[in-house]
Amino acid sequence: MTDTAASPRRGRPRDPGVEDRVFDAAIDLYSRLGWAGFSFESVTRITGVGKAALYRRWPTRSALLVETLRARWYTVGDIDTGRLRDDLRKLADMLLTRLTGPHGSVHLQILMDTRNYDEVRDATAAYRADLVLAGRAMARRAVARGELPPGTNPTLIIDLVVGGIQNHVLATPPELKSKMQEQMHRYGEQLVDAVLAGATARGD
Amino acid sequence: MTDTAASPRRGRPRDPGVEDRVFDAAIDLYSRLGWAGFSFESVTRITGVGKAALYRRWPTRSALLVETLRARWYTVGDIDTGRLRDDLRKLADMLLTRLTGPHGSVHLQILMDTRNYDEVRDATAAYRADLVLAGRAMARRAVARGELPPGTNPTLIIDLVVGGIQNHVLATPPELKSKMQEQMHRYGEQLVDAVLAGATARGD
């Protein structure tokens, strides 16, 4: 494939560090200000990358948001250890790290902006569908390997892990946050073990 | 106890229908407009109940919000069937009904307002603590009845049921919502069964 952004006709070759700088700035901006403050002007000001270069790479704010989320927020599609328990633990750890980290507000910003802006709803629909599909694929691979019974509902596994972790973080009051963070990776393991025990239990 | 609001010195005896009308109006107002639009003026306009009467019963907007949530949103403390599976199914059904119902936005409004307004954070802290305690109590009663192993982590059970249901509803795209609603009570049962199977499985 031809990379038009790197074509000499368009100026300098693409700097491989530019994407990382832009994604770092963009996730920080979005977590603090949401869609209302997510502008190319701000990304240019923070990174020094010119607006023309940004537009060449990301033709719209929506495109930049979706690629930022794929690179810096939930990245379920990258997880494939070959063993379901390890996949789900990685998933749980990723969710815990993101939700309690410096950009944890992204979760709530997406929920709000999806409701308030059609552009964000459309832009994040593909991103959220990717997450759902990646989660289901994780469970289906486990069925194929014989780690889960054939009739397992993949949506159920993913709802329990993703929802359970999200509820754990969001239901913790601020004064207990640091204690929760100390224990969260152990808690994530317990939660995954409980979900797997439920998914593999035989009816009785 | 003396009901001061019904004292002749304060005017007419309290109309038992007033609370219901006020809670109905208040939950609708809050789900649509959040804290920014949650005013005694609006409740008076909708219900015809005078501001003086409202203030006598609910001295602050925060007090009205918390009592409205206790009466019309998540009411975990009311659930006690004597059997954990039935308790959790009732809990799951209540969450599904509320989140997909006409006031489903209350969930997101609370998350947003808790972040944006100290008053709401303080007001809902007690409400949310009640929910956590009621959820844990549900699991502890089951341990006491021998339905769960003694070492069971009650927080884990509740995070899985509450978070799993919330994720199921929130992760469903709008075009699949009606299909999800048709199947949601059956799904809630499956989810509860999976959580219980996981909680009662013996390590192997």
Side-chain angles (χ1 to χ4, degrees):
Chain A
M1 283 186 291
T2 307
D3 185 346
T4 54
S7 151
R9 290 181 52 221
R10 305 282 195 111
R12 292 170 297 174
R14 192 196 291 179
D15 173 353
V18 163
E19 279 204 349
D20 275 339
R21 275 155 55 207
V22 169
F23 288 149
D24 286 344
I27 196 72
D28 187 59
L29 202 58
Y30 187 72
S31 74
R32 287 186 292 111
L33 303 172
W35 187 245
F38 192 73
S39 68
F40 282 102
E41 283 82 358
S42 297
V43 174
T44 289
R45 188 166 32 75
I46 298 166
T47 60
V49 178
K51 276 179 73 176
L54 292 177
Y55 277 115
R56 262 202 309 277
R57 177 70 184 79
W58 298 281
T60 63
R61 288 203 296 154
S62 299
L64 177 57
L65 176 61
V66 171
E67 291 207 14
T68 298
L69 295 175
R70 285 192 176 126
R72 293 288 186 273
W73 189 238
Y74 293 172
T75 51
V76 182
D78 296 344
I79 300 173
D80 185 5
T81 66
R83 189 166 168 257
L84 181 62
R85 190 177 305 268
D86 294 329
D87 279 0
L88 293 176
R89 284 183 173 184
K90 277 202 155 190
L91 173 62
D93 272 350
M94 185 194 72
L95 298 169
L96 287 164
T97 303
R98 295 275 190 277
L99 289 168
T100 62
H103 305 129
S105 303
V106 165
H107 176 67
L108 191 50
Q109 298 285 14
I110 292 175
L111 290 176
M112 288 191 295
D113 289 336
T114 295
R115 207 173 85 132
N116 294 330
Y117 301 98
D118 288 352
E119 276 170 288
V120 179
R121 188 198 60 212
D122 295 344
T124 56
Y127 169 70
R128 284 177 294 125
D130 282 354
L131 295 182
V132 170
L133 294 178
R136 285 189 197 150
M138 192 182 278
R140 290 212 177 94
R141 289 193 304 267
V143 172
R145 287 190 302 257
E147 295 175 58
L148 286 175
T152 305
N153 180 347
T155 302
L156 184 59
I157 309 272
I158 300 303
D159 278 340
L160 287 172
V161 174
V162 174
I165 294 290
Q166 287 181 166
N167 196 67
H168 188 65
V169 175
L170 292 176
T172 299
E175 66 274 18
L176 296 179
K177 192 183 170 193
S178 65
K179 191 180 165 209
M180 183 267 289
Q181 282 186 273
E182 281 169 28
Q183 304 171 344
M184 70 185 186
H185 293 293
R186 176 74 199 108
Y187 183 80
E189 289 180 4
Q190 281 180 3
L191 186 142
V192 166
D193 289 349
V195 171
L196 280 180
T200 55
R202 284 157 186 270
D204 50 6
Chain B
M1 284 185 289
T2 307
D3 184 345
T4 54
S7 148
R9 290 181 53 221
R10 305 283 194 111
R12 292 170 296 176
R14 191 196 292 180
D15 172 354
V18 163
E19 280 204 348
D20 276 340
R21 275 155 53 209
V22 168
F23 289 147
D24 286 345
I27 195 72
D28 187 58
L29 201 57
Y30 187 72
S31 73
R32 286 187 292 109
L33 303 173
W35 187 244
F38 192 71
S39 69
F40 282 103
E41 284 81 358
S42 297
V43 174
T44 289
R45 187 166 32 76
I46 298 165
T47 61
V49 178
K51 275 180 73 175
L54 293 177
Y55 278 113
R56 261 202 309 277
R57 176 71 183 78
W58 298 281
T60 62
R61 288 203 293 155
S62 298
L64 177 58
L65 176 61
V66 170
E67 291 208 14
T68 299
L69 295 175
R70 284 192 176 125
R72 293 288 185 274
W73 189 238
Y74 292 172
T75 51
V76 182
D78 296 344
I79 301 173
D80 184 7
T81 66
R83 188 166 168 259
L84 181 62
R85 190 176 305 268
D86 294 329
D87 280 0
L88 293 177
R89 284 183 174 185
K90 277 201 154 189
L91 173 63
D93 273 349
M94 185 195 71
L95 297 170
L96 288 164
T97 303
R98 295 275 189 278
L99 289 169
T100 62
H103 305 129
S105 303
V106 165
H107 175 67
L108 191 50
Q109 298 285 14
I110 292 175
L111 290 176
M112 288 192 295
D113 288 336
T114 294
R115 207 173 85 131
N116 294 330
Y117 301 98
D118 289 351
E119 276 169 288
V120 179
R121 188 198 59 211
D122 295 344
T124 56
Y127 169 70
R128 284 176 294 126
D130 282 356
L131 295 183
V132 170
L133 294 178
R136 285 188 197 153
M138 192 181 278
R140 290 214 177 94
R141 290 194 302 268
V143 172
R145 287 189 302 256
E147 295 176 59
L148 286 176
T152 305
N153 180 349
T155 302
L156 184 60
I157 310 272
I158 301 303
D159 278 340
L160 288 171
V161 174
V162 174
I165 295 290
Q166 287 180 165
N167 196 67
H168 189 65
V169 176
L170 292 175
T172 299
E175 67 273 18
L176 296 178
K177 190 182 170 192
S178 67
K179 191 179 165 210
M180 184 267 291
Q181 282 186 273
E182 281 169 28
Q183 305 172 345
M184 71 184 186
H185 293 291
R186 176 75 198 107
Y187 182 80
E189 288 180 4
Q190 282 180 3
L191 186 142
V192 166
D193 289 349
V195 171
L196 281 180
T200 54
R202 286 159 185 265
D204 49 5

